[in-house]
Amino acid sequence: MKIVGILNVTPDSFSDGGRHDDVAAAVAFGRALFAEGAHLVDVGGESTRPGAAAVSVDEECARIVPVVRALAPHGPVSVDTRRAAVARAALDAGATLINDVSGGADPDMLPLVARAGCAIVLMHMRGEPDTMQRLAVYDDVCAEVWAALDERAVAARAAGIPEGNIVLDPGIGFAKTAAHNLALLRDLPRRTSRSVLVGASRKAFIGALTGQARAAERLEGSLAVALHAQDAGAAYVRVHDVAATVRALAVWTAIRPAP
Ligand code: HH2
């Protein structure tokens, strides 16, 4: 399982907002994530936490492009964006993977990724970050989320993206209650014949289980999810705490080799 380290260059991300708002500090942090063992560093310029405000394309590019350009020579960089114009600028700056929490909703996104020949993460969410928690209503959350992801994968293939470049993500915390998140994680082993990314690091449902209000303190619960993702056969886990995840997985995989 590959470890994707999180580098948010935003003022308002739920856990690391405002920490890396100058380019040099962001690049140093990204290089440290590579040194700790991240296989990829995911650079994001728009917070998608519940209730987050939207940013303009220009602002998002201004936040991420200089960081991607300076970080890409040091290791593989993905960019966390829902906008094709931002993705294009990031690919030009050296990014090699697009992480799209909207599942390719921008009509230009899937054709762009097809032309670039890069991989894309298609994540499940409903609505927009500022409204999505109102849409967390499902009869059968696992069936509905994976049916929606299958539709996005069909659209991606129709746009010319080969199956090998498509990664699916159930979108833990995006238009989901804590119970939905747990159901999706429990169901994960049934879905990993495809390439799947799990992003649960420091999210609120972990705090609800452990009684921790502060996101930065949710390390142990985040590690528990990473170990579960490994056992479930996930291809990627997206985490804030790279060094701790690498160490936990080193012991876990020595005991239980990858499925
Ligand atoms: N979660 C977040 C952002 N991007 N991308 C994928 N593929 N999967 C996720 O679960 C996911 C994601 C939210 O976490 P974070 O980046 O830490 O916070 P914010 O959106 O507030 O910047």
Side-chain angles (χ1 to χ4, degrees):
M1 182 171 67
K2 290 192 167 135
I3 296 176
V4 180
I6 300 171
L7 174 52
N8 284 317
V9 284
T10 54
D12 57 345
S13 286
F14 79 94
S15 146
D16 55 353
R19 278 190 55 193
H20 321 296
D21 40 11
D22 93 65
V23 174
V27 173
F29 189 83
R31 291 185 67 175
L33 294 180
F34 285 131
E36 289 173 11
H39 299 94
L40 269 163
V41 171
D42 189 36
V43 181
E46 178 200 31
S47 175
T48 46
R49 75 184 154 77
V55 289
S56 70
V57 166
D58 286 349
E59 175 63 26
E60 201 182 333
C61 283
R63 289 177 184 176
I64 65 166
V65 168
V67 176
V68 171
R69 186 171 294 119
L71 192 58
H74 302 285
V77 172
S78 68
V79 65
D80 186 347
T81 187
R82 303 185 279 161
R83 285 140 160 170
V86 177
R88 185 178 307 117
L91 290 169
D92 289 345
T96 53
L97 185 147
I98 301 302
N99 174 24
D100 184 346
V101 299
S102 75
D106 181 331
D108 297 329
M109 184 66 96
L110 299 178
L112 168 76
V113 169
R115 275 197 307 279
C118 66
I120 183 166
V121 178
L122 299 170
M123 198 197 78
H124 176 270
M125 73 183 291
R126 284 178 171 175
E128 293 289 316
D130 57 347
T131 58
M132 65 185 176
Q133 288 311 102
R134 279 183 242 146
L135 304 172
V137 181
Y138 304 86
D139 289 327
D140 179 339
V141 66
C142 299
E144 288 170 53
V145 164
W146 285 97
L149 284 172
D150 272 337
E151 267 174 38
R152 299 315 300 152
V154 167
R157 284 196 301 273
I161 303 173
E163 177 68 24
N165 280 353
I166 299 172
V167 181
L168 302 179
D169 177 346
I172 300 300
F174 286 82
K176 318 281 179 344
T177 63
H180 295 143
N181 294 328
L182 293 172
L184 287 163
L185 289 170
R186 207 172 290 124
D187 171 71
L188 210 54
R190 296 181 53 213
R191 311 295 173 176
T192 49
S193 56
R194 323 279 288 267
S195 183
V196 172
L197 182 147
V198 176
S201 183
R202 300 185 183 176
K203 287 188 178 171
F205 79 101
I206 293 174
L209 289 168
T210 59
Q212 291 166 298
R214 290 194 52 224
E217 291 171 359
R218 297 175 189 151
L219 171 63
E220 301 87 345
S222 304
L223 293 176
V225 179
L227 302 182
H228 170 69
Q230 162 73 22
D231 269 8
Y236 300 88
V237 65
R238 182 179 179 278
V239 300
H240 298 87
D241 300 290
V242 170
T245 306
V246 168
R247 291 184 200 124
L249 282 169
V251 176
W252 195 254
T253 51
I255 301 166
R256 302 158 74 102

